[in-house]
Amino acid sequence: MASVYIPVQNSEEEVRVALDQLPRDASDILDILKAEQAPLDLWLIIAREYFKQGKIDQFRQILEEGSSPEIDDYYADVRYERIAILNALGAYYSYLGKIETKQREKEEHFILATQYYNKASRIDMHEPSTWVGKDHELAYFCIVGFTAETCQLLLAKGEVEQASAAFKIVIDGDHDNVPALLGQLLRAEYLYMDKVKIQHHILVQACVEFNRGRYSESLELYKVGCMAIFFAIEKSAVRLGIGLCRYKLGQFEKAQQAFERVLHAKNVEALVALAIMDLRTNEATGIRKGMVKMQRAFEIYPYCAMALNYLANHFFFTGQHFLVEQLTETALAVTNHGPTKSHSYYNLARSYHSKGDYDKAGVYYMASVKEVNKPHEFVFPYYGLGQVQIKLGDFKSALSNFEKVLEVYPDNCETLKALGHIYVQLGQTDKGQDFIRRATKIDPRDAQAFLELGELLILSDTGAALDAFKTARTLFKKGGQEVPIELLNNVGVLQFERGEFELAQQTFKEALGDGIWISFINEENKSSIDAATSTLQFKDRQLFHDLESNGHRVEVPWDKVTVLFNLARLLEQLNESGTASILYRLILFKYPDYIDACLRLAAIAKARNNILLSIELVSCNLLALVNDALKVNDKCPNALSMLGELELKNDDWVKAKETLRAASDATDGKDSYATLSLGNWNYFAAVRNEKRNPKLEATHLEKAKELYTRVLIQHSSNLYAANGAAVVLAEKGHFDVSKDIFTQVQEAASGSVFVQMPDVWINLAHVYFAQGNFALAVKMYQNCLRKFYYNTDSQILLYLARTHYEAEQWQDCIKTLLRAIHLAPSNYTLRFDAGVAMQKFSASTLQKAKRTADEVRATVAELQNAVRVFSQLSAASNLHIHGFDEKKIDTHVGYCNHLLSAAKVHLEAAEREEQQVRQRQELARQVALAEEARRKAEEQRKFQMERRKQEDELKRVQQQEEHFKRVKEQWKSSTHSKRRERSDDEEGGTGEKKKRKSGKKRKKDKHSKSRYDTEEPETDMMDEQEMEDEEADVNYREEPQTLMNDDGEENAQGLLAAAGLEDSDADEDMAAPSSSVARRRQALSESDDDEPLQRQSSPVRENSADMQESDGEIREVDKTNGDDASDEEKQY
Amino acid sequence: MKLGGIKSVENAHDDSVWAVTWVPATANRPPLLLTGSLDETVRLWRSDDLLLDRTNTGHCLGVASVAAHPLGSLAASSSLDSFVRVFDVDSNATVATLEAPPSEVWQMRFDPKGAILAVAGGGSASVKLWDTSTWELVTTLSIPRPEGPKPTDKSGSKKFVLSVAWSPDGKRLACGSMDGTISVFDVPRAKFLHHLEGHFMAVRSLVYSPYDPRLLFTASDDGNVHMYDAEGKALVGTMSGHASWVLCVDVSPDGAAIATGSSDRSVRLWDLSMRASVQTMSNHTDQVWGVAFRPPGGSDARGGRLASVSDDKSISLYDYS
């Protein structure tokens, strides 16, 4: 049996004290110790022995005596042992505090413990063991109370690191190095005191490691500590620690064993730990078992916060919120341990969250988060807080919270989705997309994630968006869930946008489901629905009243209105405008404030009246409708824009400008459509005033440019603004720049069905035209016509014709004009242009050096056509039936007469030419074969006979045209006389074939020069015609002035043309005697002296003419442009 | 009911084909197809194989309209230069050349009895009626000017007459105009009756139902086909579906269907009982300017035939059943 020896003072004897036979009364042994002034370590040994034997009072008595003031005095220089005694006492009271349940007594124990420790540390601040004491205590509480009722001393203050640092001083080594610690332990094994000390060290370190999350190190330390265990109470604590470590390390079975070994002591912590282990099996039976254990723990010790929390958690899921609150409140009252409190707050917050009390939930989440040091420890409150913050609109904070969650769970779908959502809300769509894409990758069966992804992609990549939506739809369907209407709507819209109309229609119908609309969509022929009348009266909603009074229920659920609108929009696209109109009106019937539907109705009406001459009807029909929309919302910029546009169409310029201004103001200038419209207005104004006031034109252009630029600054990708800006540039002559812009816009516009920009094609063609690249211009016009107008736009045909005209492709020009006439029969301008083209064609043929009789005949026919067209035109114009002004008709007539006379000359020339051909042939025969000459002459005569016969036939066909006949008669007589003269001349200069030839050559030169002369007036005429047409609706009052000018010009030009032709004849005569030298000289175009001025000036005039024309079109075109823009706006 | 393609002739003309009609069968020949084109020719085709029978020349500017006498012996063709040539179908002999300046000539139709040729007069806002025996101008049916002050904008007050149609009993004549209004006349009394409203864009073609003298079908540039009660001034139905202008309409001899041709390059068949498009033929590659059902009669009239002509220079023949 172990015993200690107390050295007897002043002798060499010793008193032997058997440790197992210590006296019952500690005073005896105390007396001995005091009397013999025994070393203090003996006191400690004996006290421990008492403690071991369960004699707590004796233990305390000895230690208290050992720490009394007189001992302090006596052993003043024995520091270490005094400290050890105090430490032991501190540990004892700590233990008492631990096991005490009443808060007051518990605190008293702890206060005592602290006093002892403090006293110890006063003895020597630098004595390591005092630190150890505190640390020991810390360790103790940490081990035992991971559930932490008692962690007031250090840990609750968050001084884990401090504790660790302090402990580092003690073990004086590398605390990470467990083997080193073990070595130290072994070295000190035989020293009892040291053993205890080291044991403490180890346990403290274990605890610290545990709290740092280094579970395996902690486990090793616990194991070592377990070997050297001293206090029984500590043993169970160590086991618990081991269990926790194993649990954290995932060694659940061993952990369970450890816990079960502690269980016999009715250890609540172990019970709770076991219960948690049961719960985490995640099986029904396990959970039940776990909850039973929890409840037992709760019964054993109702203030274990951990158990309370778990119970609360359980009741949260069973939905007993009242119990949750009670339990968590108790838990909060009994614990000061951060993580546990955090858990409790979290439970409370969750309860409020689920009840929808976001403010309170937010507060408790926040409290919970505050108790958590690192998100890794307990991340749920961050998630909850984030959710609540999203609800409350605080996205920035939510973002940081969710990011913390994501750090812990980088693959959590919900978090990724939430983050994606937040980024979208914050406007960082790219980041949002990334997150949601990640979410869909991690869980490819999450319909919601695909839905959100789709919504994000709509703006950037419609194809991908559609795919995402479709995936979501199939997932919903697979899951047996009802597919949300919004999803179907989005799918439909995307399909619509991609031009998959059939699919879109199906999708919309699926989204709509069953309802009153079915009858409108499918059974249009049903007698109860009179589609016919309904298409007429856009405001008529009688239909629905009738239906209602007939007992049908006309219902449109609010969530289906948008789908219905989209379907109607789609039907419109599919040209089912009748059905679309009914659907729009159905919407308006139920939701009279749905402006878009109202505007679409107006747009349908407008489309129907597109080329209509009667703008009166338009204004009646449409202004009323749009005013309806305005009544609903006076500030609606869309309606204002449309109204402005209609006013423009109605030629109400000033009003239109005001309305557009108002539209622009209503949106603080942010509505690019209104700004664009204003820009267009300015542009039109500039073009309109071109002839009047160049200054005004410049300001208007400048203003237009400014407005376009403003839109471009706001929306750098606005095609219409870019187009407008390019038009202004072209207007100023910067063709290359504008061409680039047009090309880019054209490319950009060729993606969506909603962006239809034929204007840019036309503008591009205009630029090519202005640059003289006729072939490309023709191609561009043709493509545009085919692509956007189903070849129905006579205006573009006119441009095309003009291009052919410039390119001198007369037949193409005439054919194109004929097509245009066929398309727009009431446009007499086209006939006029056709006449001009025919005349021009004839003139150019006549100017050819070599021409066959057939050619001349064709020419004559063409001329006759031209004459007929002109005479018809003048006759028709006399009826003043197409709104032309009287004066204008006079001009027409005058010009026609001029042309007629010109044609007369042409015809003369043609006849003469024919005769010349004949004569030439005759002469050639004479020179070559004198003897055959007579026979040839006979043939010639025969040929002549045939000719005449043919001419007769021609005449017969046109017998009825007396007027012309008379003219022809006249011509014939005059030609005869002339011919006679001519032949005389020729007889005079016999054998001058060569000279004749040269004369002809020269004539050709001459003609090619004069071409410009003749061409100019025609071109101008065409342009002016068009201009006037355009202007006719622009400003009627101003027209007389223009006409006056035109009169002068046209007359002069007509005369000029005639003169030019006369000239050529004169030339011919003169040239007859000239020599070949002269011919060469003329070929070198020295004879151009008299004309270079005209030549040079002509291109300039042509250019200006071009511009005039293109202006006109651009104007027209921009109007349609506006339509498209408004269409687009009204899309969704 | 459905259409089945029988034959198509590419490049039937040298340029856009603008007009088509069937010349009814006579005692010694089957019905012929008559087409007119921008290439200034009028051509006759033997049915089903679409073999070119003859090419008539003589017109200037494009041939815009052709019409056939109900007896099948005579036909008329007109061109943009506003001449009407009436000719003997079998011999191509010119019977008469008609013009009534300053009136233009657009669509022409013989009345069901063949006594009158009605010619849409374009800008003259009138329909000219010619006696088919004397070839004298009988009547001018003028559309009255609406009351009220003279409008100043270019919408004007004049109706530009584009198309004409006879009621099956020959008592009524309807004409369509550029502004979309349709005017109905009482022919025996030479009196204007009323307007039919509903279209606001050019009505290029219209036709009466063969059985119901009140029922009128109209095709308009607004993309819709309307059904009117021409007597009751009521719009009975609207059929939408074409993507662009509806250029021509014809009603089947049985009165159960109509066919339309459109700028959207398609020919559509509409079931009148359903008031819906039942078939869309898209074999043409450009605007379809004319559709014509073959009239019943003739020895080899096996089944219904529909012909269509287009800007793509081709003619197509379909079986209608």
Side-chain angles (χ1 to χ4, degrees):
Chain A
M1 188 68 246
S3 50
V4 289
Y5 299 90
I6 304 168
V8 177
Q9 215 176 12
N10 301 327
S11 78
E12 294 196 351
E13 288 173 41
E14 290 170 325
V15 179
R16 180 174 167 273
V17 180
L19 285 177
D20 53 348
Q21 288 169 353
L22 285 172
R24 193 171 275 272
D25 188 355
S27 317
D28 299 349
I29 199 111
L30 263 179
D31 289 343
I32 300 171
L33 287 171
K34 275 185 190 164
E36 301 306 329
Q37 294 177 4
L40 282 176
D41 59 334
L42 286 179
W43 293 49
L44 203 57
I45 291 166
I46 289 164
R48 281 188 201 282
E49 192 53 41
Y50 273 121
F51 187 86
K52 264 187 180 171
Q53 292 165 12
K55 293 169 181 163
I56 305 297
D57 285 339
Q58 287 85 335
F59 160 80
R60 199 176 56 208
Q61 200 183 345
I62 289 172
L63 286 184
E64 274 170 358
E65 202 63 40
S67 62
S68 62
E70 53 250 52
I71 297 290
D72 285 350
D73 288 345
Y74 192 80
Y75 293 98
D77 48 349
V78 187
R79 285 182 190 161
Y80 184 87
E81 279 76 12
R82 274 163 61 203
I83 289 168
I85 288 171
L86 286 168
N87 277 350
L89 270 169
Y92 169 68
Y93 279 109
S94 301
Y95 164 68
L96 281 183
K98 151 79 180 72
I99 56 169
E100 183 56 60
T101 55
K102 286 174 201 148
Q103 196 67 28
R104 210 167 56 82
E105 273 94 42
K106 187 189 256 266
E107 267 171 34
E108 277 170 7
H109 289 308
F110 281 122
I111 289 165
L112 270 174
T114 317
Q115 276 174 1
Y116 283 117
Y117 284 130
N118 285 345
K119 203 171 163 192
S121 63
R122 265 202 302 278
I123 291 169
D124 188 347
M125 289 297 281
H126 304 290
E127 170 56 48
S129 64
T130 56
W131 287 97
V132 169
K134 276 184 185 167
D135 289 338
H136 164 231
E137 185 183 39
L138 155 80
Y140 184 60
F141 294 132
C142 288
I143 297 160
V144 176
F146 196 66
T147 52
E149 299 110 291
T150 52
C151 231
Q152 292 105 321
L153 280 172
L154 268 176
L155 206 60
K157 292 175 198 154
E159 295 172 37
V160 176
E161 287 303 321
Q162 194 195 323
S164 171
F167 185 65
K168 237 189 257 176
I169 304 168
V170 175
I171 63 166
D172 191 31
D174 182 1
H175 71 277
D176 282 337
N177 195 339
V178 179
L181 274 175
L182 290 175
Q184 269 188 341
L185 175 76
L186 291 170
R187 246 193 292 124
E189 202 171 357
Y190 299 106
L191 290 168
Y192 188 69
M193 281 304 296
D194 285 354
K195 220 177 184 176
V196 173
K197 226 160 89 185
I198 287 164
Q199 178 193 356
H200 287 175
H201 291 179
I202 290 164
L203 291 180
V204 167
Q205 182 67 10
C207 180
V208 169
E209 295 292 343
F210 186 90
N211 273 351
R212 283 174 163 179
R214 282 187 267 209
Y215 303 117
S216 53
E217 280 93 337
S218 177
L219 181 63
E220 287 305 315
L221 289 169
Y222 275 128
K223 277 182 182 164
V224 173
C226 199
M227 289 193 292
I229 204 74
F230 179 66
F231 288 118
I233 188 73
E234 283 176 354
K235 211 178 230 164
S236 68
V238 168
R239 281 194 181 129
L240 204 57
I242 288 173
L244 285 171
C245 283
R246 289 203 188 276
Y247 174 76
K248 288 281 183 189
L249 287 168
Q251 306 163 340
F252 298 116
E253 274 189 29
K254 283 189 175 169
Q256 202 164 358
Q257 284 169 8
F259 290 134
E260 270 162 5
R261 281 174 73 184
V262 192
L263 204 57
H264 62 86
K266 285 206 171 178
N267 187 312
V268 176
E269 283 83 8
L271 202 56
V272 170
L274 278 170
I276 292 171
M277 290 187 67
D278 280 339
L279 287 177
R280 63 165 293 288
T281 57
N282 236 346
E283 287 160 20
T285 49
I287 289 170
R288 212 171 301 127
K289 261 161 71 187
M291 284 325 289
V292 169
K293 281 191 184 119
M294 278 294 180
Q295 255 163 1
R296 226 171 73 208
F298 178 69
E299 279 155 15
I300 294 169
Y301 180 67
Y303 302 109
C304 172
M306 186 75 109
L308 288 171
N309 277 339
Y310 271 96
L311 283 169
N313 189 28
H314 174 75
F315 288 122
F316 173 79
F317 284 114
T318 56
Q320 289 152 288
H321 292 295
F322 175 70
L323 281 172
V324 174
E325 277 161 42
Q326 275 205 327
L327 287 168
T328 45
E329 268 159 24
T330 320
L332 282 171
V334 298
T335 184
N336 282 313
H337 177 237
T340 316
K341 272 178 102 166
S342 157
H343 206 118
S344 306
Y345 280 129
Y346 171 66
N347 272 336
L348 207 51
R350 215 159 42 145
S351 172
Y352 282 117
H353 192 168
S354 72
K355 284 197 285 190
D357 187 345
Y358 298 117
D359 287 325
K360 263 194 181 168
V363 169
Y364 283 115
Y365 277 131
M366 199 71 93
S368 174
V369 165
K370 264 185 199 148
E371 297 293 340
V372 180
N373 292 314
K374 285 186 213 147
H376 289 272
E377 288 166 2
F378 190 51
V379 85
F380 302 125
Y382 287 97
Y383 189 83
L385 188 58
Q387 279 181 317
V388 171
Q389 277 161 341
I390 287 182
K391 278 270 190 245
L392 298 176
D394 183 0
F395 294 111
K396 286 246 164 75
S397 318
L399 183 67
S400 70
N401 283 321
F402 278 116
E403 266 170 355
K404 273 177 199 143
V405 179
L406 198 67
E407 270 172 37
V408 183
Y409 298 106
D411 285 346
N412 184 286
C413 275
E414 295 300 324
T415 315
L416 286 169
K417 266 155 57 183
L419 274 171
H421 181 73
I422 292 169
Y423 274 119
V424 173
Q425 294 291 329
L426 291 174
Q428 293 164 291
T429 14
D430 288 349
K431 270 193 165 176
Q433 261 178 41
D434 286 349
F435 277 109
I436 294 186
R437 232 187 264 273
R438 262 169 70 189
T440 55
K441 257 177 214 156
I442 290 162
D443 184 2
R445 281 172 304 169
D446 186 345
Q448 204 65 38
F450 277 106
L451 186 65
E452 281 184 40
L453 181 62
E455 272 165 16
L456 281 184
L457 284 168
I458 279 183
L459 288 176
S460 51
D461 182 353
T462 47
L466 185 58
D467 287 345
F469 281 134
K470 277 181 179 163
T471 318
R473 180 167 66 170
T474 29
L475 286 173
F476 274 121
K477 277 183 183 159
K478 257 190 204 160
Q481 283 167 284
E482 200 182 326
V483 186
I485 293 176
E486 297 79 27
L487 169 62
L488 288 172
N489 182 42
N490 284 340
V491 173
V493 169
L494 285 174
Q495 285 167 334
F496 185 5
E497 200 166 328
R498 287 156 63 94
E500 299 163 359
F501 298 130
E502 286 296 314
L503 285 172
Q505 198 171 355
Q506 278 172 21
T507 315
F508 283 138
K509 279 181 182 166
E510 188 186 333
L512 280 173
D514 204 22
I516 184 78
W517 45 83
I518 293 289
S519 58
F520 297 124
I521 301 165
N522 294 338
E523 302 163 52
E524 217 188 330
N525 54 334
K526 223 175 153 190
S527 58
S528 65
I529 300 154
D530 196 346
T533 48
S534 56
T535 44
L536 256 187
Q537 279 134 17
F538 289 92
K539 291 172 73 181
D540 180 36
R541 282 152 216 169
Q542 190 58 40
L543 160 66
F544 306 113
H545 289 293
D546 290 350
L547 271 179
E548 265 192 338
S549 58
N550 288 346
H552 294 281
R553 273 163 51 113
V554 181
E555 291 270 326
V556 182
W558 62 271
D559 56 340
K560 288 183 178 169
V561 176
T562 310
V563 188
L564 203 57
F565 178 82
N566 284 333
L567 178 61
R569 187 71 194 75
L570 175 68
L571 286 171
E572 225 185 297
Q573 189 79 25
L574 291 170
N575 310 308
E576 304 274 358
S577 53
T579 320
S581 152
I582 295 179
L583 292 183
Y584 286 135
R585 269 174 294 138
L586 174 65
I587 294 173
L588 286 175
F589 177 65
K590 279 286 156 192
Y591 303 90
D593 290 354
Y594 204 99
I595 293 172
D596 284 346
C598 198
L599 284 176
R600 284 316 306 167
L601 275 179
I604 293 179
K606 189 167 156 240
R608 278 163 175 262
N609 292 291
N610 203 354
I611 339 173
L612 181 65
L613 294 176
S614 132
I615 285 179
E616 233 178 314
L617 270 166
V618 179
S619 52
C620 289
N621 250 338
L622 299 188
L623 287 180
L625 266 186
V626 173
N627 280 333
D628 256 15
L630 284 179
K631 253 183 258 157
V632 172
N633 180 358
D634 200 28
K635 278 276 161 68
C636 172
N638 285 355
L640 277 171
S641 297
M642 187 150 181
L643 182 62
E645 206 192 310
L646 286 169
E647 278 165 353
L648 258 189
K649 219 176 182 177
N650 221 352
D651 293 322
D652 213 339
W653 282 72
V654 181
K655 231 180 170 183
K657 190 180 182 183
E658 276 168 15
T659 314
L660 291 174
R661 274 258 165 79
S664 181
D665 289 345
T667 52
D668 298 329
K670 294 238 172 62
D671 184 47
S672 39
Y673 181 77
T675 318
L676 259 179
S677 304
L678 270 177
N680 288 349
W681 188 93
N682 272 296
Y683 175 71
F684 301 153
V687 174
R688 187 177 65 122
N689 288 326
E690 182 151 24
K691 275 188 181 164
R692 297 291 107 62
N693 190 344
K695 227 186 224 170
L696 214 60
E697 181 203 338
T699 37
H700 277 310
L701 273 184
E702 214 36 63
K703 182 83 186 146
K705 192 181 166 193
E706 184 201 314
L707 286 162
Y708 290 136
T709 320
R710 199 193 297 165
V711 177
L712 274 177
I713 288 167
Q714 277 172 17
H715 306 279
S716 55
S717 55
N718 190 311
L719 296 178
Y720 300 100
N723 185 33
V727 166
V728 176
L729 280 170
E731 197 70 46
K732 292 181 170 172
H734 307 302
F735 292 126
D736 287 325
V737 186
S738 59
K739 188 161 84 182
D740 284 351
I741 300 177
F742 286 138
T743 316
Q744 281 174 22
V745 173
Q746 186 190 16
E747 274 168 22
S750 57
S752 162
V753 288
F754 295 133
V755 188
Q756 297 274 333
M757 286 196 72
D759 348 1
V760 76
W761 291 61
I762 297 171
N763 287 337
L764 204 51
H766 284 340
V767 172
Y768 284 132
F769 176 77
Q771 289 183 328
N773 197 341
F774 299 128
L776 261 178
V778 166
K779 219 174 228 166
M780 200 59 87
Y781 284 130
Q782 279 172 342
N783 284 341
C784 173
L785 200 55
R786 205 173 167 78
K787 198 170 161 160
F788 298 104
Y789 295 105
Y790 292 107
N791 290 343
T792 57
D793 193 296
S794 57
Q795 190 68 28
I796 299 176
L797 277 173
L798 180 62
Y799 304 149
L800 193 56
R802 183 164 154 65
T803 316
H804 283 309
Y805 187 95
E806 285 306 310
E808 299 182 24
Q809 297 155 332
W810 312 115
Q811 282 305 329
D812 287 335
C813 175
I814 293 166
K815 280 274 162 69
T816 310
L817 283 168
L818 287 178
R819 273 178 214 280
I821 293 169
H822 194 222
L823 283 169
S826 58
N827 187 347
Y828 284 86
T829 323
L830 294 170
R831 289 166 181 268
F832 179 86
D833 293 342
V836 171
M838 289 173 202
Q839 189 228 346
K840 183 68 203 125
F841 163 66
S842 314
S844 73
T845 323
L846 288 174
Q847 284 154 11
K848 269 197 199 164
K850 283 183 185 167
R851 59 212 154 165
T852 62
D854 279 344
E855 268 180 344
V856 179
R857 232 167 282 133
T859 304
V860 171
E862 210 64 88
L863 257 183
Q864 284 169 350
N865 283 335
V867 168
R868 180 161 172 87
V869 164
F870 284 125
S871 60
Q872 229 178 25
L873 198 60
S874 79
S877 300
N878 283 334
L879 289 167
H880 51 86
I881 49 167
H882 18 260
F884 287 157
D885 195 77
E886 297 284 345
K887 278 214 167 127
K888 197 165 186 178
I889 295 158
D890 290 345
T891 322
H892 279 283
V893 174
Y895 189 56
C896 282
N897 285 334
H898 277 300
L899 282 168
L900 273 170
S901 59
K904 191 169 138 190
V905 180
H906 275 294
L907 209 65
E908 266 176 42
E911 296 279 325
R912 209 163 46 231
E913 204 60 34
E914 270 176 53
Q915 208 202 349
Q916 279 164 10
V917 170
R918 254 172 273 143
Q919 277 183 343
R920 206 196 315 157
Q921 282 172 340
E922 205 177 339
L923 282 169
R925 298 281 186 279
Q926 278 176 358
V927 173
L929 294 160
E931 46 191 21
E932 276 193 340
R934 205 131 301 276
R935 204 167 57 82
K936 286 281 172 191
E938 266 171 20
E939 272 179 15
Q940 198 69 24
R941 225 169 289 137
K942 245 193 219 165
F943 180 69
Q944 229 166 331
M945 290 286 276
E946 275 173 16
R947 269 285 294 139
R948 234 163 248 154
K949 230 170 144 187
Q950 275 172 336
E951 272 174 20
D952 283 350
E953 198 182 354
L954 217 77
K955 258 186 271 165
R956 187 167 52 81
V957 172
Q958 290 160 350
Q959 266 171 341
Q960 275 73 16
E961 216 240 314
E962 288 175 65
H963 173 60
F964 179 63
K965 204 173 168 187
R966 224 180 302 127
V967 172
K968 203 173 178 184
E969 220 64 59
Q970 282 173 355
W971 292 336
K972 276 227 170 119
S973 59
S974 65
T975 352
H976 278 306
S977 60
K978 256 204 173 171
R979 202 182 286 163
R980 214 168 295 135
E981 276 176 36
R982 183 61 60 89
S983 58
D984 286 345
D985 278 359
E986 273 163 6
E987 267 164 41
T990 40
E992 283 184 337
K993 210 169 66 184
K994 273 188 179 175
K995 277 181 188 170
R996 266 248 149 283
K997 251 189 179 170
S998 74
K1000 241 176 277 158
K1001 271 268 169 72
R1002 191 188 174 282
K1003 201 176 89 190
K1004 187 195 169 197
D1005 290 348
K1006 185 69 197 166
H1007 274 286
S1008 65
K1009 268 179 268 159
S1010 68
R1011 189 182 64 211
Y1012 288 102
D1013 304 350
T1014 45
E1015 200 172 87
E1016 268 170 51
E1018 286 156 15
T1019 318
D1020 283 358
M1021 269 311 289
M1022 271 175 93
D1023 294 335
E1024 275 155 23
Q1025 276 304 119
E1026 287 157 22
M1027 278 309 294
E1028 276 161 19
D1029 260 13
E1030 308 264 352
E1031 273 172 345
D1033 48 308
V1034 170
N1035 196 335
Y1036 207 73
R1037 252 168 289 139
E1038 286 179 22
E1039 204 170 46
Q1041 278 192 334
T1042 338
L1043 284 166
M1044 291 295 275
N1045 289 345
D1046 287 352
D1047 282 357
E1049 274 177 54
E1050 282 165 20
N1051 282 338
Q1053 284 153 4
L1055 287 166
L1056 223 156
L1061 289 163
E1062 291 287 334
D1063 228 28
S1064 67
D1065 281 356
D1067 259 358
E1068 195 181 1
D1069 286 345
M1070 268 165 57
S1074 67
S1075 69
S1076 60
V1077 182
R1079 187 195 76 195
R1080 193 163 299 153
R1081 196 166 56 93
Q1082 280 148 357
L1084 289 167
S1085 74
E1086 278 167 55
S1087 71
D1088 288 357
D1089 292 346
D1090 48 339
E1091 285 185 329
L1093 267 173
Q1094 277 184 344
R1095 255 197 160 171
Q1096 280 187 341
S1097 63
S1098 52
V1100 178
R1101 289 180 64 183
E1102 272 174 6
N1103 258 346
S1104 68
D1106 294 352
M1107 279 326 295
Q1108 281 171 27
E1109 199 185 10
S1110 46
D1111 300 345
E1113 308 145 9
I1114 287 165
R1115 166 157 30 128
E1116 273 290 309
V1117 150
D1118 277 4
K1119 276 189 193 171
T1120 43
N1121 193 1
D1123 288 358
D1124 289 344
S1126 64
D1127 279 2
E1128 192 189 31
E1129 273 186 12
K1130 268 151 237 149
Q1131 201 51 59
Y1132 292 95
Chain B
M1 63 187 60
K2 74 185 201 38
L3 293 176
I6 295 178
K7 172 125 181 139
S8 273
V9 182
E10 303 296 325
N11 295 315
H13 279 271
D14 299 333
D15 215 319
S16 304
V17 192
W18 280 349
V20 65
T21 194
W22 286 91
V23 182
T26 57
N28 40 20
R29 65 156 169 78
L32 294 172
L33 191 66
L34 187 65
T35 58
S37 158
L38 174 59
D39 68 4
E40 304 181 356
T41 63
V42 173
R43 290 185 177 177
L44 277 161
W45 309 83
R46 284 195 184 281
S47 182
D48 274 19
D49 291 329
L50 291 183
L51 290 174
L52 181 60
D53 208 38
R54 198 178 57 237
T55 302
N56 299 347
T57 54
H59 276 293
C60 292
L61 313 186
V63 176
S65 174
V66 289
H69 193 274
L71 294 180
S73 53
L74 289 179
S77 55
S78 73
S79 47
L80 289 185
D81 62 3
S82 299
F83 280 116
V84 178
R85 175 175 181 256
V86 183
F87 58 95
D88 184 285
V89 174
D90 295 315
S91 69
N92 193 25
T94 303
V95 176
T97 310
L98 313 175
E99 75 164 327
S103 179
E104 296 135 70
V105 172
W106 290 96
Q107 206 183 22
M108 308 174 295
R109 285 282 176 267
F110 284 95
D111 86 305
K113 297 189 182 68
I116 303 173
L117 175 66
V119 178
S124 66
S126 63
V127 178
K128 307 279 178 192
L129 301 184
W130 299 84
D131 187 305
T132 55
S133 50
T134 62
W135 296 112
E136 301 270 313
L137 184 61
V138 200
T139 323
T140 299
L141 300 173
S142 290
I143 300 171
R145 301 181 64 132
E147 289 120 38
K150 193 185 172 199
T152 49
D153 54 357
K154 79 170 173 188
S155 66
S157 54
K158 278 287 184 177
K159 312 285 184 192
F160 191 102
V161 182
L162 274 178
S163 50
V164 286
W166 289 94
S167 68
D169 56 10
K171 286 181 182 155
R172 293 282 183 270
L173 183 138
C175 68
S177 49
M178 206 58 199
D179 67 356
T181 50
I182 293 140
S183 311
V184 183
F185 293 93
D186 179 340
V187 179
R189 293 193 290 145
K191 201 173 161 246
F192 167 78
L193 292 177
H194 51 251
H195 288 304
L196 301 174
E197 283 174 357
H199 289 300
F200 294 97
M201 291 167 82
V203 174
R204 291 175 193 267
S205 175
L206 69 178
V207 64
Y208 273 95
S209 160
Y211 294 117
D212 185 350
R214 295 167 68 106
L215 193 57
L216 179 70
F217 304 100
T218 60
S220 165
D221 284 1
D222 64 17
N224 294 316
V225 176
H226 282 182
M227 285 167 71
Y228 288 98
D229 174 356
E231 296 297 296
K233 292 173 68 173
L235 179 56
V236 186
T238 301
M239 290 174 276
S240 51
H242 277 300
S244 186
W245 301 357
V246 187
L247 300 171
C248 49
V249 59
D250 197 15
V251 64
S252 69
D254 57 12
I258 58 168
T260 55
S262 161
S263 289
D264 68 9
R265 296 157 205 163
S266 69
V267 173
R268 274 180 190 249
L269 185 70
W270 307 77
D271 186 328
L272 291 176
S273 58
M274 290 161 66
R275 284 194 201 170
S277 169
V278 287
Q279 201 173 354
T280 304
M281 311 295 288
S282 37
N283 48 326
H284 285 297
T285 57
D286 210 335
Q287 320 189 54
V288 180
W289 276 106
V291 287
F293 279 104
R294 188 170 69 183
S299 51
D300 68 335
R302 285 177 295 270
R305 290 286 181 272
L306 176 73
S308 65
V309 296
S310 156
D311 254 355
D312 65 7
K313 307 176 193 173
S314 74
I315 304 174
S316 285
L317 188 68
Y318 317 91
D319 173 67
Y320 163 73
S321 52

